[in-house]
Amino acid sequence: QKEVEQDPGPLSVPEGAIVSLNCTYSNSAFQYFMWYRQYSRKGPELLMYTYSSGNKEDGRFTAQVDKSSKYISLFIRDSQPSDSATYLCAMGSGNQFYFGTGTSLTVIP
Amino acid sequence: GAGVSQSPRYKVAKRGQDVALRCDPISGHVSLFWYQQALGQGPEFLTYFQNEAQLDKSGLPSDRFFAERPEGSVSTLKIQRTQQEDSAVYLCASSLTSLGNEQYFGPGTRLTVT
């Protein structure tokens, strides 16, 4: 069983839609949870970082962590064509971090 | 300020050649990570440095892979006797603290072994 499971998509939504991206994990020791956006042929770009269960909001992005269910989510409001990218969840503790396979998102104008 | 930089951006090596990939982390960042990303996959952990100390190298796939960060800033990932299965994007990330959270990535080096 992989440490982190993420639906690879692809996901296609119309501009302005709310997007929900999710990951599940198996290791209850994970303490830090991150979401990255990766454009083609670029390095991952940090979008959100959370430490505890609950919600964290930054502009159009909301990250949600439910440690009891081992489930994390990223919501994107008012999605834009420029949001079209691959979204990676990442989590870990100590010195090792594990990434999901990424969800490919396309926002159609 | 300057982000994480990596060089070269692209590298083509013949099977059996040695390669060296360089990472310049954000100035002052304590933690430095190397990851390998295959096409269509997420990054996979290779090794971790806290300043100049390599604290975890459990992700290095074989003893052909070697990493160093001698002065606690620039890091080099070396692959000896490259094989076709080494073809991937090699990503470097740095983090301000020893916790390793909030990692900032470089653009990666795309290695193709022919």
Side-chain angles (χ1 to χ4, degrees):
Chain A
Q1 184 185 5
K2 281 188 175 183
E3 297 277 359
V4 179
E5 298 281 354
Q6 183 176 11
D7 186 340
L11 191 59
S12 185
V13 301
E15 183 175 353
I18 296 175
V19 177
S20 171
L21 304 165
N22 312 293
C23 289
T24 59
Y25 62 97
S26 54
N27 191 334
S28 57
F30 288 160
Q31 293 181 295
Y32 307 112
F33 304 89
M34 295 170 280
W35 284 96
Y36 287 86
R37 177 173 61 196
Q38 187 172 28
Y39 293 112
S40 181
R41 296 186 174 264
K42 303 284 188 188
E45 172 193 357
L46 181 64
L47 285 176
M48 300 285 285
Y49 155 69
T50 54
Y51 171 69
S52 57
S53 281
N55 292 356
K56 181 177 180 179
E57 190 174 315
D58 184 1
R60 295 185 296 111
F61 299 92
T62 299
Q64 195 173 75
V65 174
D66 182 347
K67 285 189 176 181
S68 62
S69 302
K70 299 192 186 67
Y71 187 89
I72 70 170
S73 300
L74 178 72
F75 298 96
I76 308 173
R77 289 183 299 281
D78 187 26
S79 55
Q80 303 295 309
S82 58
D83 294 329
S84 299
T86 295
Y87 290 79
L88 296 155
C89 62
M91 56 198 75
S93 56
N95 304 334
Q96 283 208 16
F97 288 81
Y98 298 88
F99 284 74
T101 53
T103 299
S104 175
L105 171 68
T106 301
V107 181
I108 302 165
Chain B
V4 178
S5 61
Q6 292 186 245
S7 60
R9 291 293 314 278
Y10 302 92
K11 177 70 179 176
V12 179
K14 286 189 163 56
R15 192 174 59 178
Q17 280 185 331
D18 297 350
V19 298
L21 313 180
R22 178 187 168 106
C23 172
D24 282 84
I26 295 172
S27 179
H29 276 202
V30 168
S31 297
L32 186 146
F33 296 80
W34 282 99
Y35 293 89
Q36 181 188 62
Q37 186 174 26
L39 193 63
Q41 301 296 314
E44 288 203 5
F45 170 82
L46 292 177
T47 187
Y48 164 71
F49 290 86
Q50 187 179 114
N51 296 309
E52 69 279 4
Q54 188 176 22
L55 298 187
D56 192 330
K57 53 181 181 179
S58 62
L60 295 176
S62 77
D63 58 9
R64 296 185 295 104
F65 286 71
F66 172 75
E68 59 183 5
R69 193 186 185 198
E71 296 178 359
S73 55
V74 171
S75 178
T76 304
L77 176 68
K78 296 179 180 176
I79 309 173
Q80 297 176 323
R81 304 181 303 282
T82 52
Q83 304 294 315
Q84 281 194 313
E85 62 263 27
D86 300 335
S87 296
V89 175
Y90 291 85
L91 293 163
C92 172
S94 70
S95 173
L96 179 63
T97 72
S98 60
L99 295 175
N101 53 345
E102 293 190 86
Q103 295 176 33
Y104 294 89
F105 280 82
T109 294
R110 182 176 298 272
L111 173 66
T112 303
V113 181
T114 60

mmCIF file of all heavy atoms in Angstrom, chain A residues 49-97:
data_model
loop_
_atom_site.group_PDB
_atom_site.id
_atom_site.type_symbol
_atom_site.label_atom_id
_atom_site.label_comp_id
_atom_site.label_asym_id
_atom_site.label_seq_id
_atom_site.Cartn_x
_atom_site.Cartn_y
_atom_site.Cartn_z
ATOM 1 N N TYR A 49 0.464 25.109 3.240
ATOM 2 C CA TYR A 49 1.093 24.252 4.248
ATOM 3 C C TYR A 49 0.227 24.266 5.486
ATOM 4 O O TYR A 49 -0.203 25.325 5.942
ATOM 5 C CB TYR A 49 2.496 24.774 4.556
ATOM 6 C CG TYR A 49 2.986 24.388 5.917
ATOM 7 C CD1 TYR A 49 3.293 23.058 6.205
ATOM 8 C CD2 TYR A 49 3.115 25.340 6.922
ATOM 9 C CE1 TYR A 49 3.718 22.697 7.462
ATOM 10 C CE2 TYR A 49 3.544 24.981 8.183
ATOM 11 C CZ TYR A 49 3.853 23.656 8.450
ATOM 12 O OH TYR A 49 4.266 23.303 9.699
ATOM 13 N N THR A 50 -0.058 23.101 6.032
ATOM 14 C CA THR A 50 -0.818 23.024 7.273
ATOM 15 C C THR A 50 -0.145 22.038 8.213
ATOM 16 O O THR A 50 0.554 21.108 7.774
ATOM 17 C CB THR A 50 -2.275 22.588 7.024
ATOM 18 O OG1 THR A 50 -2.275 21.363 6.283
ATOM 19 C CG2 THR A 50 -3.039 23.632 6.259
ATOM 20 N N TYR A 51 -0.386 22.248 9.486
ATOM 21 C CA TYR A 51 0.217 21.392 10.496
ATOM 22 C C TYR A 51 -0.827 20.559 11.230
ATOM 23 O O TYR A 51 -0.624 19.394 11.500
ATOM 24 C CB TYR A 51 1.001 22.252 11.493
ATOM 25 C CG TYR A 51 1.479 21.501 12.701
ATOM 26 C CD1 TYR A 51 2.469 20.535 12.592
ATOM 27 C CD2 TYR A 51 0.948 21.751 13.971
ATOM 28 C CE1 TYR A 51 2.919 19.841 13.698
ATOM 29 C CE2 TYR A 51 1.399 21.059 15.072
ATOM 30 C CZ TYR A 51 2.382 20.103 14.938
ATOM 31 O OH TYR A 51 2.816 19.419 16.032
ATOM 32 N N SER A 52 -1.961 21.141 11.510
ATOM 33 C CA SER A 52 -2.933 20.444 12.345
ATOM 34 C C SER A 52 -4.225 20.186 11.573
ATOM 35 O O SER A 52 -4.395 20.668 10.460
ATOM 36 C CB SER A 52 -3.239 21.294 13.580
ATOM 37 O OG SER A 52 -3.703 22.561 13.176
ATOM 38 N N SER A 53 -5.101 19.440 12.165
ATOM 39 C CA SER A 53 -6.426 19.235 11.581
ATOM 40 C C SER A 53 -7.171 20.563 11.532
ATOM 41 O O SER A 53 -6.968 21.427 12.376
ATOM 42 C CB SER A 53 -7.226 18.241 12.416
ATOM 43 O OG SER A 53 -6.848 16.925 12.137
ATOM 44 N N GLY A 54 -8.028 20.705 10.536
ATOM 45 C CA GLY A 54 -8.805 21.927 10.396
ATOM 46 C C GLY A 54 -8.618 22.531 9.026
ATOM 47 O O GLY A 54 -8.109 21.885 8.116
ATOM 48 N N ASN A 55 -9.046 23.768 8.894
ATOM 49 C CA ASN A 55 -9.012 24.467 7.618
ATOM 50 C C ASN A 55 -8.008 25.608 7.648
ATOM 51 O O ASN A 55 -7.798 26.240 8.683
ATOM 52 C CB ASN A 55 -10.394 25.062 7.306
ATOM 53 C CG ASN A 55 -11.425 23.996 7.024
ATOM 54 O OD1 ASN A 55 -11.121 22.827 6.983
ATOM 55 N ND2 ASN A 55 -12.662 24.429 6.846
ATOM 56 N N LYS A 56 -7.415 25.858 6.490
ATOM 57 C CA LYS A 56 -6.546 27.023 6.336
ATOM 58 C C LYS A 56 -6.864 27.653 4.993
ATOM 59 O O LYS A 56 -6.911 26.944 3.983
ATOM 60 C CB LYS A 56 -5.074 26.618 6.388
ATOM 61 C CG LYS A 56 -4.106 27.785 6.255
ATOM 62 C CD LYS A 56 -2.678 27.311 6.392
ATOM 63 C CE LYS A 56 -1.685 28.450 6.270
ATOM 64 N NZ LYS A 56 -0.293 27.969 6.419
ATOM 65 N N GLU A 57 -7.093 28.947 4.997
ATOM 66 C CA GLU A 57 -7.516 29.633 3.779
ATOM 67 C C GLU A 57 -6.450 30.633 3.341
ATOM 68 O O GLU A 57 -5.833 31.315 4.158
ATOM 69 C CB GLU A 57 -8.841 30.353 4.046
ATOM 70 C CG GLU A 57 -9.520 30.911 2.815
ATOM 71 C CD GLU A 57 -10.900 31.476 3.145
ATOM 72 O OE1 GLU A 57 -11.657 30.818 3.875
ATOM 73 O OE2 GLU A 57 -11.183 32.596 2.676
ATOM 74 N N ASP A 58 -6.258 30.702 2.013
ATOM 75 C CA ASP A 58 -5.341 31.699 1.450
ATOM 76 C C ASP A 58 -5.886 32.110 0.089
ATOM 77 O O ASP A 58 -5.744 31.371 -0.887
ATOM 78 C CB ASP A 58 -3.929 31.117 1.319
ATOM 79 C CG ASP A 58 -2.924 32.146 0.832
ATOM 80 O OD1 ASP A 58 -3.302 33.307 0.617
ATOM 81 O OD2 ASP A 58 -1.742 31.782 0.673
ATOM 82 N N GLY A 59 -6.547 33.246 0.062
ATOM 83 C CA GLY A 59 -7.137 33.708 -1.187
ATOM 84 C C GLY A 59 -8.195 32.739 -1.678
ATOM 85 O O GLY A 59 -9.134 32.406 -0.943
ATOM 86 N N ARG A 60 -8.039 32.240 -2.888
ATOM 87 C CA ARG A 60 -9.038 31.327 -3.456
ATOM 88 C C ARG A 60 -8.818 29.876 -3.025
ATOM 89 O O ARG A 60 -9.593 29.001 -3.396
ATOM 90 C CB ARG A 60 -8.978 31.406 -4.991
ATOM 91 C CG ARG A 60 -9.387 32.760 -5.551
ATOM 92 C CD ARG A 60 -9.429 32.756 -7.085
ATOM 93 N NE ARG A 60 -8.132 32.530 -7.698
ATOM 94 C CZ ARG A 60 -7.802 31.427 -8.361
ATOM 95 N NH1 ARG A 60 -8.683 30.435 -8.509
ATOM 96 N NH2 ARG A 60 -6.598 31.303 -8.903
ATOM 97 N N PHE A 61 -7.780 29.629 -2.262
ATOM 98 C CA PHE A 61 -7.419 28.271 -1.873
ATOM 99 C C PHE A 61 -7.756 28.006 -0.409
ATOM 100 O O PHE A 61 -7.497 28.840 0.457
ATOM 101 C CB PHE A 61 -5.918 28.035 -2.103
ATOM 102 C CG PHE A 61 -5.480 28.183 -3.533
ATOM 103 C CD1 PHE A 61 -5.019 29.392 -4.012
ATOM 104 C CD2 PHE A 61 -5.561 27.108 -4.403
ATOM 105 C CE1 PHE A 61 -4.621 29.534 -5.334
ATOM 106 C CE2 PHE A 61 -5.170 27.231 -5.729
ATOM 107 C CZ PHE A 61 -4.702 28.450 -6.194
ATOM 108 N N THR A 62 -8.320 26.812 -0.155
ATOM 109 C CA THR A 62 -8.568 26.354 1.209
ATOM 110 C C THR A 62 -8.024 24.946 1.331
ATOM 111 O O THR A 62 -8.374 24.080 0.538
ATOM 112 C CB THR A 62 -10.062 26.366 1.551
ATOM 113 O OG1 THR A 62 -10.567 27.691 1.451
ATOM 114 C CG2 THR A 62 -10.283 25.835 2.972
ATOM 115 N N ALA A 63 -7.169 24.739 2.326
ATOM 116 C CA ALA A 63 -6.646 23.408 2.617
ATOM 117 C C ALA A 63 -7.345 22.876 3.847
ATOM 118 O O ALA A 63 -7.563 23.611 4.818
ATOM 119 C CB ALA A 63 -5.144 23.459 2.844
ATOM 120 N N GLN A 64 -7.709 21.618 3.797
ATOM 121 C CA GLN A 64 -8.435 20.979 4.894
ATOM 122 C C GLN A 64 -7.719 19.696 5.268
ATOM 123 O O GLN A 64 -7.341 18.903 4.394
ATOM 124 C CB GLN A 64 -9.854 20.678 4.408
ATOM 125 C CG GLN A 64 -10.860 20.358 5.459
ATOM 126 C CD GLN A 64 -12.243 20.263 4.822
ATOM 127 O OE1 GLN A 64 -12.560 19.287 4.159
ATOM 128 N NE2 GLN A 64 -13.052 21.290 5.013
ATOM 129 N N VAL A 65 -7.532 19.481 6.561
ATOM 130 C CA VAL A 65 -6.879 18.259 7.046
ATOM 131 C C VAL A 65 -7.790 17.603 8.061
ATOM 132 O O VAL A 65 -8.251 18.256 9.009
ATOM 133 C CB VAL A 65 -5.517 18.570 7.697
ATOM 134 C CG1 VAL A 65 -4.935 17.312 8.330
ATOM 135 C CG2 VAL A 65 -4.550 19.143 6.671
ATOM 136 N N ASP A 66 -8.044 16.319 7.882
ATOM 137 C CA ASP A 66 -8.799 15.526 8.846
ATOM 138 C C ASP A 66 -7.912 14.358 9.251
ATOM 139 O O ASP A 66 -7.869 13.333 8.578
ATOM 140 C CB ASP A 66 -10.108 15.039 8.221
ATOM 141 C CG ASP A 66 -10.959 14.246 9.198
ATOM 142 O OD1 ASP A 66 -10.452 13.855 10.270
ATOM 143 O OD2 ASP A 66 -12.135 14.005 8.893
ATOM 144 N N LYS A 67 -7.218 14.523 10.358
ATOM 145 C CA LYS A 67 -6.262 13.489 10.782
ATOM 146 C C LYS A 67 -6.973 12.222 11.230
ATOM 147 O O LYS A 67 -6.433 11.122 11.097
ATOM 148 C CB LYS A 67 -5.371 14.018 11.898
ATOM 149 C CG LYS A 67 -4.305 14.996 11.428
ATOM 150 C CD LYS A 67 -3.331 15.291 12.563
ATOM 151 C CE LYS A 67 -2.197 16.171 12.105
ATOM 152 N NZ LYS A 67 -1.240 16.450 13.194
ATOM 153 N N SER A 68 -8.174 12.351 11.743
ATOM 154 C CA SER A 68 -8.871 11.154 12.223
ATOM 155 C C SER A 68 -9.236 10.238 11.066
ATOM 156 O O SER A 68 -9.241 9.010 11.197
ATOM 157 C CB SER A 68 -10.119 11.546 13.012
ATOM 158 O OG SER A 68 -11.023 12.241 12.189
ATOM 159 N N SER A 69 -9.518 10.830 9.910
ATOM 160 C CA SER A 69 -9.853 10.041 8.718
ATOM 161 C C SER A 69 -8.658 9.849 7.801
ATOM 162 O O SER A 69 -8.772 9.166 6.774
ATOM 163 C CB SER A 69 -10.978 10.727 7.933
ATOM 164 O OG SER A 69 -12.122 10.892 8.728
ATOM 165 N N LYS A 70 -7.538 10.493 8.128
ATOM 166 C CA LYS A 70 -6.334 10.457 7.293
ATOM 167 C C LYS A 70 -6.682 10.908 5.860
ATOM 168 O O LYS A 70 -6.448 10.192 4.878
ATOM 169 C CB LYS A 70 -5.700 9.068 7.289
ATOM 170 C CG LYS A 70 -5.243 8.584 8.657
ATOM 171 C CD LYS A 70 -4.379 7.341 8.516
ATOM 172 C CE LYS A 70 -4.013 6.749 9.856
ATOM 173 N NZ LYS A 70 -5.143 6.193 10.588
ATOM 174 N N TYR A 71 -7.213 12.113 5.797
ATOM 175 C CA TYR A 71 -7.774 12.626 4.544
ATOM 176 C C TYR A 71 -7.471 14.111 4.478
ATOM 177 O O TYR A 71 -7.722 14.831 5.443
ATOM 178 C CB TYR A 71 -9.282 12.371 4.572
ATOM 179 C CG TYR A 71 -10.038 12.663 3.321
ATOM 180 C CD1 TYR A 71 -10.196 11.694 2.340
ATOM 181 C CD2 TYR A 71 -10.637 13.905 3.104
ATOM 182 C CE1 TYR A 71 -10.916 11.946 1.191
ATOM 183 C CE2 TYR A 71 -11.358 14.174 1.958
ATOM 184 C CZ TYR A 71 -11.506 13.175 1.011
ATOM 185 O OH TYR A 71 -12.222 13.426 -0.125
ATOM 186 N N ILE A 72 -6.917 14.554 3.336
ATOM 187 C CA ILE A 72 -6.698 15.984 3.177
ATOM 188 C C ILE A 72 -7.301 16.438 1.857
ATOM 189 O O ILE A 72 -7.429 15.646 0.919
ATOM 190 C CB ILE A 72 -5.199 16.378 3.247
ATOM 191 C CG1 ILE A 72 -4.417 15.909 2.021
ATOM 192 C CG2 ILE A 72 -4.569 15.828 4.531
ATOM 193 C CD1 ILE A 72 -3.010 16.495 1.955
ATOM 194 N N SER A 73 -7.682 17.703 1.828
ATOM 195 C CA SER A 73 -8.332 18.261 0.644
ATOM 196 C C SER A 73 -7.775 19.645 0.336
ATOM 197 O O SER A 73 -7.319 20.349 1.237
ATOM 198 C CB SER A 73 -9.842 18.385 0.869
ATOM 199 O OG SER A 73 -10.429 17.146 1.141
ATOM 200 N N LEU A 74 -7.873 20.004 -0.930
ATOM 201 C CA LEU A 74 -7.594 21.362 -1.377
ATOM 202 C C LEU A 74 -8.784 21.817 -2.205
ATOM 203 O O LEU A 74 -9.186 21.126 -3.140
ATOM 204 C CB LEU A 74 -6.323 21.434 -2.221
ATOM 205 C CG LEU A 74 -5.992 22.822 -2.775
ATOM 206 C CD1 LEU A 74 -5.511 23.740 -1.643
ATOM 207 C CD2 LEU A 74 -4.929 22.742 -3.874
ATOM 208 N N PHE A 75 -9.356 22.957 -1.830
ATOM 209 C CA PHE A 75 -10.467 23.529 -2.578
ATOM 210 C C PHE A 75 -9.978 24.787 -3.296
ATOM 211 O O PHE A 75 -9.274 25.612 -2.705
ATOM 212 C CB PHE A 75 -11.626 23.885 -1.648
ATOM 213 C CG PHE A 75 -12.192 22.692 -0.932
ATOM 214 C CD1 PHE A 75 -11.775 22.370 0.349
ATOM 215 C CD2 PHE A 75 -13.135 21.875 -1.536
ATOM 216 C CE1 PHE A 75 -12.285 21.268 1.013
ATOM 217 C CE2 PHE A 75 -13.653 20.774 -0.882
ATOM 218 C CZ PHE A 75 -13.219 20.463 0.390
ATOM 219 N N ILE A 76 -10.358 24.908 -4.538
ATOM 220 C CA ILE A 76 -10.042 26.105 -5.319
ATOM 221 C C ILE A 76 -11.356 26.752 -5.720
ATOM 222 O O ILE A 76 -12.176 26.131 -6.413
ATOM 223 C CB ILE A 76 -9.225 25.770 -6.588
ATOM 224 C CG1 ILE A 76 -7.988 24.936 -6.251
ATOM 225 C CG2 ILE A 76 -8.819 27.062 -7.301
ATOM 226 C CD1 ILE A 76 -7.228 24.439 -7.473
ATOM 227 N N ARG A 77 -11.571 27.976 -5.257
ATOM 228 C CA ARG A 77 -12.802 28.706 -5.611
ATOM 229 C C ARG A 77 -12.558 29.543 -6.861
ATOM 230 O O ARG A 77 -11.420 29.951 -7.139
ATOM 231 C CB ARG A 77 -13.206 29.627 -4.457
ATOM 232 C CG ARG A 77 -13.726 28.919 -3.241
ATOM 233 C CD ARG A 77 -14.167 29.935 -2.181
ATOM 234 N NE ARG A 77 -13.045 30.769 -1.745
ATOM 235 C CZ ARG A 77 -12.126 30.358 -0.876
ATOM 236 N NH1 ARG A 77 -12.170 29.147 -0.384
ATOM 237 N NH2 ARG A 77 -11.158 31.175 -0.516
ATOM 238 N N ASP A 78 -13.636 29.803 -7.593
ATOM 239 C CA ASP A 78 -13.566 30.674 -8.764
ATOM 240 C C ASP A 78 -12.363 30.299 -9.638
ATOM 241 O O ASP A 78 -11.472 31.108 -9.914
ATOM 242 C CB ASP A 78 -13.447 32.145 -8.315
ATOM 243 C CG ASP A 78 -13.535 33.122 -9.478
ATOM 244 O OD1 ASP A 78 -14.147 32.769 -10.504
ATOM 245 O OD2 ASP A 78 -12.961 34.226 -9.360
ATOM 246 N N SER A 79 -12.336 29.043 -10.047
ATOM 247 C CA SER A 79 -11.175 28.532 -10.772
ATOM 248 C C SER A 79 -10.956 29.314 -12.074
ATOM 249 O O SER A 79 -11.906 29.755 -12.729
ATOM 250 C CB SER A 79 -11.335 27.043 -11.052
ATOM 251 O OG SER A 79 -12.540 26.783 -11.725
ATOM 252 N N GLN A 80 -9.689 29.476 -12.413
ATOM 253 C CA GLN A 80 -9.259 30.238 -13.583
ATOM 254 C C GLN A 80 -8.483 29.328 -14.534
ATOM 255 O O GLN A 80 -7.863 28.353 -14.100
ATOM 256 C CB GLN A 80 -8.358 31.393 -13.150
ATOM 257 C CG GLN A 80 -8.993 32.340 -12.152
ATOM 258 C CD GLN A 80 -10.172 33.079 -12.767
ATOM 259 O OE1 GLN A 80 -10.061 33.657 -13.846
ATOM 260 N NE2 GLN A 80 -11.316 33.037 -12.075
ATOM 261 N N PRO A 81 -8.454 29.657 -15.812
ATOM 262 C CA PRO A 81 -7.648 28.850 -16.753
ATOM 263 C C PRO A 81 -6.186 28.740 -16.320
ATOM 264 O O PRO A 81 -5.549 27.709 -16.553
ATOM 265 C CB PRO A 81 -7.790 29.613 -18.073
ATOM 266 C CG PRO A 81 -9.132 30.263 -17.973
ATOM 267 C CD PRO A 81 -9.282 30.645 -16.526
ATOM 268 N N SER A 82 -5.675 29.769 -15.645
ATOM 269 C CA SER A 82 -4.280 29.725 -15.187
ATOM 270 C C SER A 82 -4.064 28.722 -14.054
ATOM 271 O O SER A 82 -2.926 28.429 -13.694
ATOM 272 C CB SER A 82 -3.835 31.116 -14.712
ATOM 273 O OG SER A 82 -4.685 31.574 -13.676
ATOM 274 N N ASP A 83 -5.160 28.196 -13.490
ATOM 275 C CA ASP A 83 -5.049 27.155 -12.469
ATOM 276 C C ASP A 83 -4.797 25.782 -13.091
ATOM 277 O O ASP A 83 -4.564 24.805 -12.373
ATOM 278 C CB ASP A 83 -6.326 27.079 -11.620
ATOM 279 C CG ASP A 83 -6.567 28.329 -10.785
ATOM 280 O OD1 ASP A 83 -5.574 28.972 -10.372
ATOM 281 O OD2 ASP A 83 -7.745 28.665 -10.549
ATOM 282 N N SER A 84 -4.875 25.696 -14.408
ATOM 283 C CA SER A 84 -4.647 24.419 -15.092
ATOM 284 C C SER A 84 -3.209 23.967 -14.861
ATOM 285 O O SER A 84 -2.255 24.646 -15.247
ATOM 286 C CB SER A 84 -4.907 24.574 -16.599
ATOM 287 O OG SER A 84 -6.248 24.950 -16.838
ATOM 288 N N ALA A 85 -3.056 22.841 -14.191
ATOM 289 C CA ALA A 85 -1.746 22.339 -13.784
ATOM 290 C C ALA A 85 -1.963 20.980 -13.132
ATOM 291 O O ALA A 85 -3.086 20.493 -13.034
ATOM 292 C CB ALA A 85 -1.084 23.293 -12.785
ATOM 293 N N THR A 86 -0.885 20.394 -12.661
ATOM 294 C CA THR A 86 -0.973 19.189 -11.832
ATOM 295 C C THR A 86 -0.810 19.597 -10.377
ATOM 296 O O THR A 86 0.085 20.376 -10.045
ATOM 297 C CB THR A 86 0.122 18.178 -12.229
ATOM 298 O OG1 THR A 86 -0.121 17.736 -13.564
ATOM 299 C CG2 THR A 86 0.097 16.967 -11.289
ATOM 300 N N TYR A 87 -1.685 19.081 -9.531
ATOM 301 C CA TYR A 87 -1.668 19.407 -8.105
ATOM 302 C C TYR A 87 -1.189 18.188 -7.317
ATOM 303 O O TYR A 87 -1.741 17.094 -7.455
ATOM 304 C CB TYR A 87 -3.048 19.862 -7.640
ATOM 305 C CG TYR A 87 -3.376 21.219 -8.208
ATOM 306 C CD1 TYR A 87 -3.823 21.359 -9.520
ATOM 307 C CD2 TYR A 87 -3.182 22.381 -7.461
ATOM 308 C CE1 TYR A 87 -4.070 22.615 -10.071
ATOM 309 C CE2 TYR A 87 -3.436 23.635 -7.998
ATOM 310 C CZ TYR A 87 -3.863 23.737 -9.307
ATOM 311 O OH TYR A 87 -4.112 24.977 -9.851
ATOM 312 N N LEU A 88 -0.175 18.414 -6.523
ATOM 313 C CA LEU A 88 0.445 17.344 -5.747
ATOM 314 C C LEU A 88 0.188 17.580 -4.266
ATOM 315 O O LEU A 88 0.411 18.679 -3.761
ATOM 316 C CB LEU A 88 1.960 17.332 -5.960
ATOM 317 C CG LEU A 88 2.478 17.033 -7.361
ATOM 318 C CD1 LEU A 88 3.863 17.632 -7.550
ATOM 319 C CD2 LEU A 88 2.535 15.534 -7.589
ATOM 320 N N CYS A 89 -0.241 16.533 -3.574
ATOM 321 C CA CYS A 89 -0.265 16.619 -2.123
ATOM 322 C C CYS A 89 1.043 16.024 -1.595
ATOM 323 O O CYS A 89 1.656 15.174 -2.252
ATOM 324 C CB CYS A 89 -1.466 15.889 -1.527
ATOM 325 S SG CYS A 89 -1.517 14.112 -1.860
ATOM 326 N N ALA A 90 1.471 16.499 -0.444
ATOM 327 C CA ALA A 90 2.703 15.998 0.162
ATOM 328 C C ALA A 90 2.525 15.994 1.669
ATOM 329 O O ALA A 90 1.850 16.868 2.228
ATOM 330 C CB ALA A 90 3.897 16.863 -0.226
ATOM 331 N N MET A 91 3.127 15.045 2.312
ATOM 332 C CA MET A 91 2.997 14.969 3.762
ATOM 333 C C MET A 91 4.151 14.191 4.349
ATOM 334 O O MET A 91 4.831 13.437 3.645
ATOM 335 C CB MET A 91 1.671 14.328 4.135
ATOM 336 C CG MET A 91 1.461 12.973 3.544
ATOM 337 S SD MET A 91 -0.280 12.496 3.588
ATOM 338 C CE MET A 91 -0.979 13.483 2.302
ATOM 339 N N GLY A 92 4.371 14.397 5.643
ATOM 340 C CA GLY A 92 5.460 13.677 6.279
ATOM 341 C C GLY A 92 5.704 14.179 7.674
ATOM 342 O O GLY A 92 4.924 14.964 8.235
ATOM 343 N N SER A 93 6.786 13.682 8.224
ATOM 344 C CA SER A 93 7.240 14.113 9.532
ATOM 345 C C SER A 93 8.718 13.798 9.606
ATOM 346 O O SER A 93 9.203 12.920 8.879
ATOM 347 C CB SER A 93 6.474 13.403 10.645
ATOM 348 O OG SER A 93 6.588 12.004 10.500
ATOM 349 N N GLY A 94 9.411 14.528 10.443
ATOM 350 C CA GLY A 94 10.849 14.296 10.497
ATOM 351 C C GLY A 94 11.507 14.662 9.190
ATOM 352 O O GLY A 94 11.274 15.728 8.647
ATOM 353 N N ASN A 95 12.272 13.748 8.658
ATOM 354 C CA ASN A 95 13.092 14.051 7.501
ATOM 355 C C ASN A 95 12.540 13.499 6.190
ATOM 356 O O ASN A 95 13.119 13.745 5.134
ATOM 357 C CB ASN A 95 14.498 13.494 7.689
ATOM 358 C CG ASN A 95 15.143 14.005 8.950
ATOM 359 O OD1 ASN A 95 14.794 15.082 9.426
ATOM 360 N ND2 ASN A 95 16.053 13.242 9.492
ATOM 361 N N GLN A 96 11.472 12.731 6.247
ATOM 362 C CA GLN A 96 10.970 12.120 5.026
ATOM 363 C C GLN A 96 9.584 12.631 4.702
ATOM 364 O O GLN A 96 8.717 12.715 5.573
ATOM 365 C CB GLN A 96 10.939 10.599 5.164
ATOM 366 C CG GLN A 96 12.299 9.964 5.023
ATOM 367 C CD GLN A 96 12.224 8.548 4.493
ATOM 368 O OE1 GLN A 96 11.212 8.124 3.966
ATOM 369 N NE2 GLN A 96 13.304 7.807 4.624
ATOM 370 N N PHE A 97 9.406 12.965 3.439
ATOM 371 C CA PHE A 97 8.124 13.448 2.966
ATOM 372 C C PHE A 97 7.691 12.630 1.764
ATOM 373 O O PHE A 97 8.512 12.236 0.937
ATOM 374 C CB PHE A 97 8.210 14.938 2.622
ATOM 375 C CG PHE A 97 8.304 15.796 3.857
ATOM 376 C CD1 PHE A 97 9.504 15.975 4.502
ATOM 377 C CD2 PHE A 97 7.162 16.383 4.393
ATOM 378 C CE1 PHE A 97 9.590 16.738 5.669
ATOM 379 C CE2 PHE A 97 7.235 17.150 5.543
ATOM 380 C CZ PHE A 97 8.449 17.325 6.182
#
